[in-house]
Amino acid sequence: MNQVILLKDRPKGKPSLKDFEFTEEEKPQPKDGEILLKTKYVSVDPYLRGRMRNEKSYIPPFEVGKPLESGIIAEVIESKNKNFEKGDFVNGMLQWKQFQTSNGNGLNKVDAERAPLKAYLGVLGLTGITAYLGLDKIGKPQKGETLLVSGAAGAVGSVAGQIGKIKGCRVVGIAGTEEKIDRIQEKFGFDAAINYKTTNNMKKAIAEACPDGVDVYFDNVGGEILDAALANMNKYGRVVNCGAISLYNKTETPTGPRVETTLIKNSILMQGFTVRDFVKDFGPAQNQLAKWMEQDKLSYLETVVEGFENIPQAFIDLFDGKNKGKMIVVV
Amino acid sequence: MNQVILLKDRPKGKPSLKDFEFTEEEKPQPKDGEILLKTKYVSVDPYLRGRMRNEKSYIPPFEVGKPLESGIIAEVIESKNKNFEKGDFVNGMLQWKQFQTSNGNGLNKVDAERAPLKAYLGVLGLTGITAYLGLDKIGKPQKGETLLVSGAAGAVGSVAGQIGKIKGCRVVGIAGTEEKIDRIQEKFGFDAAINYKTTNNMKKAIAEACPDGVDVYFDNVGGEILDAALANMNKYGRVVNCGAISLYNKTETPTGPRVETTLIKNSILMQGFTVRDFVKDFGPAQNQLAKWMEQDKLSYLETVVEGFENIPQAFIDLFDGKNKGKMIVVV
């Protein structure tokens, strides 16, 4: 039999285990042109919370009573498709099932020789590529500028900050525990870090950590930290709106200070994006990230949870910041 | 003697006549390398309100007790500078004085043969160039897209909308009187118009006037109209944050719905600017606008007020929408 995880209810506020349902189905058989996949590693990411809402977005919402999906590394255990062989590993948006079939569309083979398989869900996968392309296409950090990163200890933020260092920026990170504050400076080489949970005036804390102002703000959290960053942006500053995890579980429309006057006064750009906007750039981005890894310029951390049955809890734990780096479930 | 207008007090809320003071001084004499200028036409613009606050911005604030300044067309009535001759007309940021001297820095000669002098304060001046460069550098309207413009009957908005038509867009304007609604459709050729003062649901009104959504929003007003526009933006939409006149007279920090989730969901760009960001592009922009004028593709309106002593009232009237197109004082 084949275990499957369904969306039972759309979460209200923070997701909980009762929003998920486990079910079993017959193990599927591949038809001509299809492959049979065995799930090996499952990525859980904050953006999945958005797909649990019944709202128009860049990707259709999950349906209640249907399987969830996310980035998954799977092994080809049977192939009736000439492009894949038994024993290949593939990466793609796949369902939360132990086994599934696919016609191969949207799947990429991954090279287990070049990097550990799990890295293709993190630093060489969508999170690393998100950091790379958010900076390359929007933030455009220049040597000597100051890059501020929120969610700096996370899978995207830690890569964004390290890229800032490679580009010659002063890099300042924001995170929510002392352990993370240490980690982003010691492991990831940030120049300074701010613990937003123990700082009562973020605007002032950013001003102190960024004495020349902020040129690029890579934002993973939104909300009041974004407000404080905006108040410190230099003329021609760029805000990369990558995520807004502080708002994802809100049940009412969040309000805050209006941004338009600030944008005009300092000629600031704010741009939202999702990594899928730049699909054609994934190959070169992954290749550059792999080179930096080989040159030891890019560190990463993973929190690895074991067991298919723990996927929902691993996802929920993201909202309590329980992960250190990329959260991955090994099946 | 030479009349001068000073900033007497920083306005609280909407400016009033008591914030201005008239004084007299000796008529100045040009030194070697200088020219003596006689003020002919004075531009009054909403952005001057920002300079009346004691706040860091793209341009230093006005000082209390010192003369105000704005875009002015002046005649050279005496020259001790080899780059200017008596009888030349110049355009530049000059003080609210009947006569003043200058070393010529920052002044541009204007060609009275090509267009009426007043046009260099409006459609061929900073307002027209602002519309042109805001679209050229940020909005980038493409043929077949929908361009929404607020403050559409104003000096910047009316040019922005007409450029949208020249580029092949569906163009929808927002304004606050029925007379303006008629004007932007009949005189400026917009495809549709919305009167925000008689519409109780702007989000719905924009959705109806823009059945294919909004690709580019050229915003002169900020506030709740911006909120309604953002709710109607298409994927990859661009918001040109040119002005926020609805907020300029607020005495407390204005709040509203947070934008970051909307920006991320639809990969939207918001960018503030001031026309001075693009000084090197002024020449080509003015030249293109003059060509469109010569080809009768660009209409404009002016509200002309007579008398140096009426400059403050003309400025105040901007905030009641009393002008039709560019507000100019002829001295």
Side-chain angles (χ1 to χ4, degrees):
Chain A
M1 294 302 283
N2 185 24
Q3 275 213 306
V4 179
I5 305 173
L6 311 175
L7 180 66
K8 187 174 181 190
D9 277 314
R10 299 196 183 280
K12 288 170 191 61
K14 196 183 132 186
S16 70
L17 285 178
K18 66 175 178 40
D19 300 321
F20 300 88
E21 183 174 6
F22 285 78
T23 183
E24 289 196 341
E25 60 177 29
E26 293 270 336
K27 190 168 151 186
Q29 295 297 322
K31 295 178 213 147
D32 274 354
E34 291 189 337
I35 50 182
L36 178 62
L37 295 169
K38 182 179 182 186
T39 296
K40 302 290 284 184
Y41 299 100
V42 178
S43 175
V44 292
D45 305 273
Y47 80 88
L48 297 170
R49 178 66 182 84
R51 290 192 68 185
M52 293 177 182
R53 292 179 197 275
N54 191 17
E55 279 176 8
K56 193 184 145 200
S57 187
Y58 55 84
I59 188 166
F62 292 123
E63 289 180 48
V64 172
K66 295 282 174 68
L68 292 145
E69 64 177 31
S70 66
I72 284 177
I73 305 280
E75 183 178 356
V76 177
I77 55 173
E78 189 180 341
S79 177
K80 295 184 176 175
N81 178 315
K82 63 179 171 11
N83 298 319
F84 298 88
E85 284 179 31
K86 187 177 170 189
D88 282 347
F89 291 98
V90 298
N91 185 1
M93 192 59 61
L94 290 166
Q95 294 185 315
W96 288 4
K97 295 181 171 183
Q98 289 175 303
F99 298 92
Q100 58 199 296
T101 55
S102 164
N103 61 12
N105 282 350
L107 297 183
N108 296 303
K109 281 194 240 188
V110 293
D111 181 354
E113 305 287 314
R114 191 168 192 188
L117 282 174
K118 292 196 300 293
Y120 291 94
L121 290 181
V123 64
L124 300 183
L126 285 186
T127 51
I129 292 172
T130 295
Y132 181 90
L133 292 174
L135 288 177
D136 192 58
K137 300 290 182 184
I138 300 171
K140 297 176 183 158
Q142 306 297 311
K143 191 175 173 179
E145 289 192 326
T146 296
L147 168 67
L148 178 69
V149 181
S150 62
V156 175
S158 63
V159 175
Q162 291 178 89
I163 294 173
K165 288 307 299 175
I166 292 168
K167 299 278 182 188
C169 295
R170 174 174 174 81
V171 178
V172 176
I174 302 171
T177 67
E178 285 305 307
E179 185 274 331
K180 287 180 180 176
I181 293 301
D182 291 344
R183 191 200 316 161
I184 59 187
Q185 295 174 97
E186 284 158 27
K187 181 156 178 78
F188 299 129
F190 286 48
D191 297 290
I194 302 167
N195 183 342
Y196 73 91
K197 285 194 177 153
T198 58
T199 303
N200 54 25
N201 185 336
M202 275 303 288
K203 183 175 161 183
K204 191 166 155 240
I206 293 170
E208 285 169 2
C210 305
D212 298 325
V214 177
D215 299 293
V216 180
Y217 175 46
F218 195 107
D219 188 22
N220 290 303
V221 304
E224 290 173 17
I225 292 176
L226 172 56
D227 302 339
L230 271 172
N232 281 288
M233 297 297 288
N234 288 331
K235 179 93 177 163
Y236 306 123
R238 290 84 70 195
V239 178
V240 183
N241 291 108
C242 177
I245 195 171
S246 74
L247 308 179
Y248 292 167
N249 291 331
K250 302 269 187 201
T251 50
E252 292 182 5
T253 305
T255 59
R258 289 188 173 279
V259 300
E260 48 269 39
T261 311
T262 305
L263 300 190
I264 295 168
K265 268 191 198 167
N266 287 317
S267 300
I268 291 170
L269 174 151
M270 282 180 81
Q271 189 170 351
F273 80 110
T274 167
V275 70
R276 288 168 191 77
D277 300 344
F278 308 116
V279 166
K280 68 173 176 42
D281 301 295
F282 280 15
Q286 190 183 60
N287 193 43
Q288 179 62 69
L289 291 162
K291 271 189 200 157
W292 284 331
M293 260 181 77
E294 285 158 5
Q295 295 165 0
D296 278 330
K297 291 183 177 172
L298 214 49
S299 297
Y300 63 101
L301 280 175
E302 292 161 345
T303 294
V304 179
V305 171
E306 291 195 19
F308 185 84
E309 67 281 8
N310 290 320
I311 296 173
Q313 187 61 52
F315 170 69
I316 292 165
D317 286 347
L318 291 172
F319 296 95
D320 295 320
K322 290 194 182 167
N323 52 311
K324 295 184 185 177
K326 185 74 196 82
M327 181 77 106
I328 291 169
V329 180
V330 52
V331 175
Chain B
M1 295 301 283
N2 185 24
Q3 277 214 303
V4 179
I5 306 174
L6 312 175
L7 181 65
K8 187 173 181 190
D9 277 314
R10 299 197 183 280
K12 289 172 189 59
K14 197 184 131 186
S16 71
L17 286 178
K18 66 172 178 43
D19 300 321
F20 300 89
E21 183 176 4
F22 285 78
T23 184
E24 289 196 341
E25 61 178 27
E26 294 270 336
K27 191 169 149 187
Q29 296 297 325
K31 295 177 213 148
D32 273 355
E34 290 190 337
I35 50 180
L36 178 62
L37 296 169
K38 183 179 182 186
T39 296
K40 304 291 285 182
Y41 299 100
V42 178
S43 176
V44 291
D45 304 273
Y47 79 88
L48 297 172
R49 178 66 182 83
R51 290 193 67 186
M52 293 177 184
R53 293 180 198 273
N54 191 18
E55 277 176 11
K56 195 185 145 199
S57 185
Y58 56 85
I59 188 167
F62 293 122
E63 290 181 48
V64 172
K66 294 282 173 69
L68 293 146
E69 64 176 32
S70 67
I72 283 178
I73 305 280
E75 184 179 354
V76 177
I77 55 172
E78 190 180 339
S79 177
K80 294 184 178 175
N81 178 315
K82 63 179 175 4
N83 299 320
F84 297 90
E85 285 178 28
K86 187 178 169 186
D88 281 348
F89 291 99
V90 298
N91 185 1
M93 193 59 61
L94 290 166
Q95 293 185 316
W96 288 4
K97 296 180 171 185
Q98 288 174 305
F99 298 93
Q100 60 198 294
T101 54
S102 166
N103 62 10
N105 283 351
L107 298 182
N108 295 304
K109 281 194 241 188
V110 293
D111 181 354
E113 304 288 313
R114 192 170 191 188
L117 283 174
K118 291 196 302 291
Y120 291 94
L121 290 180
V123 65
L124 299 184
L126 285 186
T127 52
I129 292 172
T130 295
Y132 181 90
L133 291 174
L135 288 177
D136 192 59
K137 300 289 182 184
I138 301 170
K140 298 177 183 160
Q142 306 296 312
K143 192 175 173 180
E145 288 191 327
T146 296
L147 168 66
L148 178 68
V149 181
S150 61
V156 175
S158 63
V159 175
Q162 291 177 88
I163 294 172
K165 289 307 299 177
I166 292 168
K167 299 279 182 188
C169 295
R170 174 173 175 83
V171 178
V172 176
I174 302 171
T177 69
E178 284 305 307
E179 185 274 329
K180 288 180 180 177
I181 293 302
D182 291 345
R183 190 199 318 160
I184 59 186
Q185 294 174 97
E186 284 159 26
K187 180 153 180 79
F188 298 129
F190 284 49
D191 297 291
I194 302 166
N195 184 341
Y196 73 91
K197 286 196 177 151
T198 58
T199 304
N200 55 25
N201 185 335
M202 276 302 291
K203 183 175 161 183
K204 191 165 155 239
I206 293 171
E208 285 168 5
C210 305
D212 297 325
V214 177
D215 299 293
V216 181
Y217 175 44
F218 194 107
D219 187 22
N220 290 301
V221 304
E224 290 174 17
I225 293 176
L226 171 57
D227 301 340
L230 271 173
N232 281 287
M233 296 298 288
N234 288 332
K235 179 94 178 163
Y236 305 123
R238 288 85 71 196
V239 178
V240 184
N241 290 108
C242 177
I245 195 170
S246 74
L247 308 180
Y248 291 167
N249 291 331
K250 301 270 186 202
T251 51
E252 292 181 7
T253 305
T255 58
R258 289 187 173 280
V259 300
E260 49 268 38
T261 312
T262 306
L263 300 191
I264 295 168
K265 266 190 198 168
N266 288 316
S267 300
I268 291 170
L269 175 150
M270 282 179 82
Q271 190 171 352
F273 80 111
T274 167
V275 70
R276 287 169 191 76
D277 300 344
F278 307 117
V279 167
K280 69 173 177 42
D281 300 295
F282 280 15
Q286 190 183 57
N287 193 43
Q288 179 61 69
L289 290 162
K291 270 189 198 155
W292 283 333
M293 260 181 77
E294 285 157 5
Q295 295 165 0
D296 278 332
K297 289 182 177 170
L298 214 47
S299 298
Y300 63 101
L301 280 175
E302 292 160 346
T303 294
V304 178
V305 172
E306 290 194 18
F308 185 83
E309 67 281 8
N310 291 319
I311 295 173
Q313 188 61 53
F315 170 68
I316 293 164
D317 286 348
L318 291 171
F319 296 94
D320 295 321
K322 289 193 182 165
N323 53 311
K324 295 184 184 175
K326 185 74 196 82
M327 181 77 104
I328 290 170
V329 181
V330 53
V331 176

